[in-house]
Amino acid sequence: MLTHRYKLKQVLKIGNGKDHSILQDGEYPVYGSGGLMRYVDSYLYEGESILLPRKGTLSNIQYVDGKFWTVDTCYYSVIDQNIAYPYYLYRLLKSCDLSGLDSGASIPSMTSKTYYGIKVELPDVQTQQKIASILSAYDNLIENNNKRIKILEQMAENLYKEWFVRFRFPNYQNTEFENGIPNGWKVENLDDFGITLDTGSRPSGGIDDSLCNGVPSLGAEAIKELAEFDYSSVKYVPIEYYEKMKRGKFDGNAILLYKDGAYIGKTTIFRNGFPFVKFAVNEHVFLIKANNFAYQNYLYFTLHQKEYFYTMQNLNRNAAQPGLSHPDIKRVKIVVPVESVVEKYNQIIEPLLDVVFQLAKINRNLIKQRDMLLPRLMSGKLEVRHG
């Protein structure tokens, strides 16, 4: 496949992000180096653009098509579409390792000058468009699955609120209430309710970033939205270290809680072999499991409520280094329904969660297939037919 070499400066023009704090809420997305931040009433640029991180996670290059705003941790770009098909260029840059180009400071950063100096090999625009259409077909499948995941999650969330917040569970009309909750239900702290609370560790000297096999070791960065995981940043511990660990091992179904840092109290749940069948957590994450496993789903959706996030934020007693201790978590109080109601809840949401994590694993396979195709298409090893 015939290609031409360009410096990125010949292909696009970089624009600086701006402060968004003065903007009102609205319909236009605001992006930073970490992704979508909020929606506002004004936009900085309209059209197809590649968002290039200026600070933070330099691998998080993003593609946007429409009206949007970027903050100062993220550049936007105006692409010369006579030379580069935007989505193709996005995938090409996404496949590059930019880690050696940063400033070397404690917080990774890139300048527009550094980006402009990057060299890219581009075929003709028609070929770029053909390759992009193949790759975007995978992205469309992934996006559709993500939409289904969000719908199923919302269904489970709505049912939780209907039964356990509004107390409109089956036969609630014939249930007597005392002190604001149904008779037979309790208010208990997590210690009395009964949980297994565990955290992990890392090898002495820290993680060896060059290790590409072993057992995944997950930190607070793994705690995202339901069935969401970034495989690009996974780090590993040696199998021998994992086997000697006495704490912090995933056993197939666990709630993960952000233990220290800016987002203490943030939660997610991993199960059904997602994101891995076997992994460990480091010292920045709590693994939580209800001792009566019938309550595991209920416990997750309870701790996932905003009020509990704020409760745990307020439990933090260390302003310099925010963090939660075992006693902090164990004294958090929750409403404990009778088990018969929780079992009926499980009968409805278990199939929903099974589908959620099945779709998440399908997405993982689609991403792997797309990323395997990418270098072969771009190198010309796989022929792209015009027609």
Side-chain angles (χ1 to χ4, degrees):
M1 180 170 63
L2 182 63
T3 62
H4 297 280
R5 175 171 289 192
Y6 299 91
K7 283 189 175 180
L8 210 55
K9 186 175 184 179
Q10 299 172 273
V11 178
L12 55 76
K13 180 181 178 182
I14 287 175
N16 293 310
K18 296 183 179 180
D19 178 33
H20 65 103
S21 62
I22 60 172
L23 302 175
Q24 301 297 315
D25 290 342
E27 61 181 303
Y28 306 114
V30 176
Y31 295 97
S33 60
L36 179 65
M37 299 175 64
R38 59 178 290 216
Y39 289 87
V40 295
D41 61 347
S42 185
Y43 61 91
L44 193 59
Y45 183 72
E46 178 181 4
E48 290 183 277
S49 183
I50 299 168
L51 309 186
L52 302 167
R54 190 174 75 85
K55 291 183 179 180
T57 308
L58 300 183
S59 62
N60 194 30
I61 295 173
Q62 302 167 78
Y63 167 82
V64 181
D65 185 7
K67 298 175 180 178
F68 64 89
W69 190 282
T70 57
V71 301
D72 62 358
T73 61
C74 190
Y75 298 116
Y76 69 93
S77 61
V78 181
I79 301 161
D80 184 346
Q81 298 194 26
N82 293 313
I83 300 174
Y85 189 74
Y87 185 82
Y88 178 90
L89 183 61
Y90 158 70
R91 277 291 160 206
L92 179 61
L93 292 174
K94 188 82 171 169
S95 69
C96 296
D97 181 8
L98 305 180
S99 58
L101 300 177
D102 65 40
S103 63
S106 57
I107 299 176
S109 61
M110 290 278 281
T111 64
S112 57
K113 182 178 179 181
T114 304
Y115 275 121
Y116 279 145
I118 293 173
K119 295 177 181 178
V120 292
E121 296 276 350
L122 297 174
D124 63 86
V125 174
Q126 186 181 8
T127 300
Q128 292 179 52
Q129 186 173 2
K130 288 289 183 181
I131 293 173
S133 68
I134 296 170
L135 299 175
S136 62
Y138 283 88
D139 285 343
N140 290 337
L141 288 172
I142 293 165
E143 179 60 25
N144 287 336
N145 286 341
N146 284 335
K147 288 178 181 177
R148 291 179 64 192
I149 287 171
K150 290 299 180 187
I151 290 169
L152 292 168
E153 179 187 11
Q154 193 61 58
M155 289 170 63
E157 180 87 13
N158 290 344
L159 189 67
Y160 170 89
K161 290 180 177 178
E162 186 71 5
W163 286 26
F164 304 116
V165 177
R166 303 182 188 97
F167 299 127
R168 294 179 180 176
F169 49 87
N171 201 35
Y172 76 94
Q173 302 93 332
N174 300 319
T175 302
E176 294 185 0
F177 284 68
E178 184 177 351
N179 297 324
I181 63 173
N183 278 348
W185 296 31
K186 301 176 183 178
V187 176
E188 293 183 320
N189 60 43
L190 288 177
D191 196 21
D192 293 330
F193 165 71
I195 60 170
T196 300
L197 184 62
D198 206 3
T199 190
S201 61
R202 288 178 287 184
S204 177
I207 294 285
D208 179 359
D209 290 337
S210 67
L211 189 65
C212 57
N213 53 33
V215 178
S217 175
L218 308 187
E221 74 284 344
I223 301 176
K224 300 182 181 294
E225 298 304 314
L226 186 69
E228 183 179 321
F229 187 80
D230 180 7
Y231 287 90
S232 67
S233 60
V234 175
K235 298 180 179 179
Y236 298 86
V237 293
I239 294 174
E240 297 79 11
Y241 179 83
Y242 173 83
E243 290 175 345
K244 291 178 181 178
M245 288 179 67
K246 302 199 182 299
R247 301 177 294 109
K249 294 182 178 181
F250 178 70
D251 67 353
N253 187 316
I255 298 163
L256 280 74
L257 188 144
Y258 206 118
K259 180 174 174 286
D260 48 47
Y263 299 103
I264 56 173
K266 187 176 179 181
T267 58
T268 192
I269 188 169
F270 288 156
R271 46 176 282 170
N272 297 63
F274 177 88
F276 304 100
V277 173
K278 179 171 69 174
F279 66 81
V281 296
N282 66 25
E283 68 275 18
H284 301 295
V285 176
F286 278 128
L287 290 178
I288 303 177
K289 189 173 181 179
N291 292 343
N292 181 347
F293 197 67
Y295 284 84
Q296 182 75 347
N297 293 328
Y298 171 78
L299 181 60
Y300 164 67
F301 281 103
T302 298
L303 297 180
H304 193 63
Q305 301 303 302
K306 285 184 179 180
E307 65 182 278
Y308 283 92
F309 172 75
Y310 296 137
T311 294
M312 292 185 212
Q313 289 268 309
N314 292 330
L315 281 174
N316 168 56
R317 291 167 293 182
N318 187 343
Q321 180 59 45
L324 296 170
S325 67
H326 281 71
D328 288 332
I329 300 299
K330 288 184 175 181
R331 73 171 185 265
V332 170
K333 292 184 180 296
I334 65 169
V335 174
V336 182
V338 294
E339 189 169 340
S340 59
V341 174
V342 173
E343 289 284 12
K344 288 177 182 177
Y345 177 66
N346 284 335
Q347 289 172 12
I348 298 172
I349 71 159
E350 267 294 317
L352 302 183
L353 292 177
D354 284 343
V355 174
V356 163
F357 286 95
Q358 179 185 9
L359 290 170
K361 289 189 287 187
I362 289 171
N363 274 356
R364 170 58 175 157
N365 288 331
L366 288 170
I367 291 169
K368 288 169 72 174
Q369 292 170 26
R370 181 199 65 199
D371 292 350
M372 286 174 62
L373 272 177
L374 183 65
R376 301 188 70 190
L377 288 167
M378 290 184 169
S379 67
K381 290 181 179 179
L382 279 181
E383 184 180 355
V384 179
R385 296 183 179 275
H386 299 284

